[in-house]
């Protein structure tokens, strides 16, 4: 299938499918749904030499026509931020579907348990292995990740990404066969749990979160009009909830004999630990019209400087005196956009050894999980959640 055909088939199919879901279920089956139905905001279409990849991303409280973006990647392993060769945690056979699951390296799973308590209601079926390589796409035709949390590692570094919906299809497949696969995939789904959408449990916290202006993915136009300070101030509640924190310090100026470092934020968690981080999002520089440019490599370099800063007693004392925080060994986090390439993650991990990379839309999903009335029911499909299409 040519990339132009891939774009055409997906644009028409998902537009019609999601529009139909939004017009039918919330109206005719509102009482039967477990809670508000949420939709993707972006259709990201990626071309590699051997595979075409569709990803539905973003989190929207109402259906809107999907924003479509196209890009290229050197290969499917590059797209998922891994290197070929090592044994994978999960090998995906032809026409496989992984749904409501967590795929993690052992290091990634430990990070979820220790650092992101809200993920406990998102784990579903857990597939954990010793490899930093999570996925192996075998020489088949299709592989589907439907609401799958990936916790990848590279050494001590961790990359966390919640996949709303992703399909990888071999480029040898014709458009007609791919369309038939999509129709079977949608037709085999439960009526109240349609492909490409998900419901969150009812509850006052969820309803309040969804109605807040801060609940928006990083895709809606206008994000670049915000400065880092604006963004953090407006999204304070989201960050505090997702990271189980009680205090946000915006752009602290940390002085030392070697100069001054200014992370975008410090979060003080309920257990007394701290998160120091930066935003690699298309935000506007303070006092300037252009957007800041901070990719994964540059972000890792900055995080490494923050790690170094807090290794000295003098610097720790300065932070305590000026901001009232006792920081000795902070977590360092880089918040990226969902569409950002994962290919640079292994190299960035060498720059900042204990860096955590998490995209903003995953943070929104954690925020919803933390504000839900109760934990989501775990999937029950046996020891793994890999199914094959009938």
């Amino acid at each position: 299938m040519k990339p132009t055909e891939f774009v055409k088939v997906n644009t028409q199919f998902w537009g019609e499918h999601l529009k139909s879901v939004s017009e039918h279920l919330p109206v005719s089956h509102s009482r039967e749904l477990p809670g508000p139905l949420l939709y993707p905001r972006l259709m990201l279409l990626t071309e590699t030499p051997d595979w075409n990849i569709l990803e539905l991303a973003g989190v929207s409280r109402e259906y809107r026509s999907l924003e479509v973006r196209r890009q290229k990647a050197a290969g499917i392993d590059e797209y998922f931020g891994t290197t070929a060769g090592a044994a994978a945690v999960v090998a995906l056979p032809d026409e496989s579907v992984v749904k409501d699951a967590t795929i993690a390296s052992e290091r990634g799973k430990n990070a979820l348990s220790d650092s992101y308590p809200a993920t406990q209601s998102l784990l579903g079926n857990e597939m954990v292995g010793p490899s930093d390589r999570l996925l192996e796409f075998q020489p088949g035709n299709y592989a589907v990740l439907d609401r799958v949390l990936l916790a990848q590692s590279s050494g001590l570094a961790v990359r966390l990404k919640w996949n709303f919906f992703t399909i990888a299809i071999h480029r040898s497949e014709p458009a007609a066969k791919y369309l038939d696969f999509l129709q079977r995939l949608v037709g085999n789904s439960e009526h109240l749990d349609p492909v490409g959408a998900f419901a969150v449990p009812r509850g006052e916290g969820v309803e309040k979160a969804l109605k807040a202006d801060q609940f928006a993915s990083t895709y809606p136009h206008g994000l670049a009009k915000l400065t880092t300070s604006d963004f953090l101030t407006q999204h304070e509640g989201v960050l505090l909830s997702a990271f189980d924190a009680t205090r946000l310090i915006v752009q602290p100026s940390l002085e030392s004999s070697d100069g001054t470092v200014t992370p975008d934020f410090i979060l003080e968690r309920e257990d007394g630990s701290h998160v120091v981080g930066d935003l690699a999002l298309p935000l506007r520089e303070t006092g300037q019209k252009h957007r800041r440019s901070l990719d994964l490599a540059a972000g890792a370099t900055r995080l490494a400087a923050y790690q170094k800063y807090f290794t000295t007693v003098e610097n720790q004392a300065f932070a305590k005196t000026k901001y009232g925080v006792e920081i000795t060994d902070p977590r360092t986090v880089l918040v990226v956009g969902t569409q950002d390439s994962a290919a640079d993650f292994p190299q960035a991990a060498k720059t900042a050894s204990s860096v955590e990379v998490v995209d903003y839309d995953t943070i929104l999903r954690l925020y919803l999980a933390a504000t839900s009335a109760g934990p989501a029911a775990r999937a029950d499909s046996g020891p793994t959640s890999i199914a094959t299409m009938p």
Side-chain angles (χ1 to χ4, degrees):
M1 187 189 331
K2 296 180 180 179
T4 52
E5 293 180 296
F6 190 63
V7 172
K8 182 179 179 180
V9 171
N10 281 302
T11 301
Q12 181 174 349
F13 179 85
W14 293 105
E16 293 176 354
H17 167 65
L18 293 173
K19 182 179 180 181
S20 175
V21 169
S22 68
E23 292 175 344
H24 172 61
L25 286 183
V27 176
S28 302
H29 299 274
S30 60
R31 294 184 178 180
E32 300 169 64
L33 291 170
L37 199 61
L38 304 183
Y39 304 89
R41 185 69 185 91
L42 172 77
M43 179 188 296
L44 186 62
L45 302 170
T46 304
E47 172 192 351
T48 80
D50 298 317
W51 297 82
N52 286 321
I53 305 167
L54 158 80
E55 183 174 354
L56 302 181
V59 187
S60 176
R61 58 181 177 268
E62 59 185 21
Y63 170 72
R64 293 175 287 178
S65 296
L66 295 175
E67 180 181 345
V68 180
R69 295 187 184 180
R70 297 178 62 179
Q71 65 180 17
K72 293 184 179 181
I76 196 163
D77 286 300
E78 180 193 63
Y79 182 86
F80 285 95
T82 60
T83 55
V89 175
V90 173
L92 299 169
D94 184 21
E95 295 203 358
S96 59
V97 179
V98 182
K99 183 179 177 68
D100 291 325
T102 295
I103 303 175
S105 65
E106 292 176 349
R107 167 67 180 168
K109 179 59 173 65
N110 289 337
L112 290 177
S113 302
D114 298 339
S115 304
Y116 295 92
T119 61
Q120 296 309 303
S121 64
L122 300 178
L123 295 179
N125 288 285
E126 300 177 47
M127 290 168 274
V128 182
S131 178
D132 287 347
R133 186 186 183 201
L134 298 186
L135 304 169
E136 178 185 350
F137 295 85
Q138 298 178 349
N141 297 321
Y142 306 94
V144 178
L145 302 179
D146 187 359
R147 300 185 305 220
V148 174
L149 182 64
L150 299 179
Q152 174 193 355
S153 61
S154 182
L156 296 177
V158 173
R159 176 175 172 265
L160 185 65
K161 178 177 173 59
W162 182 75
N163 284 259
F164 198 147
F165 185 85
T166 304
I167 292 180
I169 170 178
H170 200 272
R171 289 188 60 180
S172 63
E173 289 299 282
K177 187 175 180 181
Y178 175 57
L179 180 58
D180 175 69
F181 175 82
L182 292 177
Q183 291 169 339
R184 284 189 292 128
L185 183 68
V186 168
N188 289 334
S189 66
E190 295 182 15
H191 184 63
L192 296 178
D193 186 20
V195 174
F198 72 97
V200 288
R202 301 182 194 279
E204 183 178 348
V206 171
E207 295 290 346
K208 183 179 180 180
L210 294 178
K211 292 178 181 178
D213 292 338
Q214 292 76 19
F215 185 83
S217 78
T218 54
Y219 299 109
H221 299 291
L223 179 64
K225 296 179 182 179
L226 296 176
T227 65
T228 298
S229 178
D230 293 335
F231 183 88
L232 290 169
T233 301
Q234 292 183 20
H235 295 74
E236 179 178 4
V238 174
L239 294 169
L240 292 178
S241 180
F243 286 92
D244 195 29
T246 57
R247 182 186 177 195
L248 168 67
I249 302 172
V250 176
Q251 295 183 303
S253 180
L254 302 172
E255 301 173 15
S256 74
S257 59
D258 296 326
T260 301
V261 295
T262 308
D264 287 339
F265 62 86
I266 293 177
L267 288 166
E268 187 167 56
R269 301 183 69 216
E270 191 168 348
D271 62 5
S273 63
H274 295 86
V275 179
V276 180
D278 276 339
L279 303 175
L281 299 173
L283 298 164
R284 182 171 57 83
E285 293 282 9
T286 301
Q288 301 181 29
K289 293 182 179 181
H290 67 270
R291 295 183 301 178
R292 64 189 301 184
S293 177
L294 184 62
D295 58 19
L296 196 55
T301 299
R302 288 168 58 106
L303 295 186
Y306 309 151
Q307 292 172 356
K308 181 180 179 181
Y309 179 89
F310 286 105
T311 58
T312 70
V313 174
E314 294 78 11
N315 294 344
Q316 295 168 11
F318 178 87
K320 181 178 180 180
T321 300
K322 187 172 182 180
Y323 296 104
V325 289
E326 296 186 42
I327 305 176
T328 56
D329 185 22
R331 290 165 52 195
T332 48
V333 173
L334 185 66
V335 179
V336 300
T338 306
Q339 80 280 13
D340 288 7
S341 172
D344 296 331
F345 172 68
Q347 184 59 41
K350 298 177 182 179
T351 303
S353 61
S354 59
V355 63
E356 297 173 24
V357 180
V358 58
D359 64 273
Y360 183 71
D361 292 305
T362 295
I363 289 177
L364 278 181
R365 188 65 188 95
L366 296 178
Y367 172 50
L368 285 176
T371 53
S372 297
R378 293 175 60 88
D380 184 16
S381 55
T384 73
S385 61
I386 301 179
T388 54
M389 287 285 290

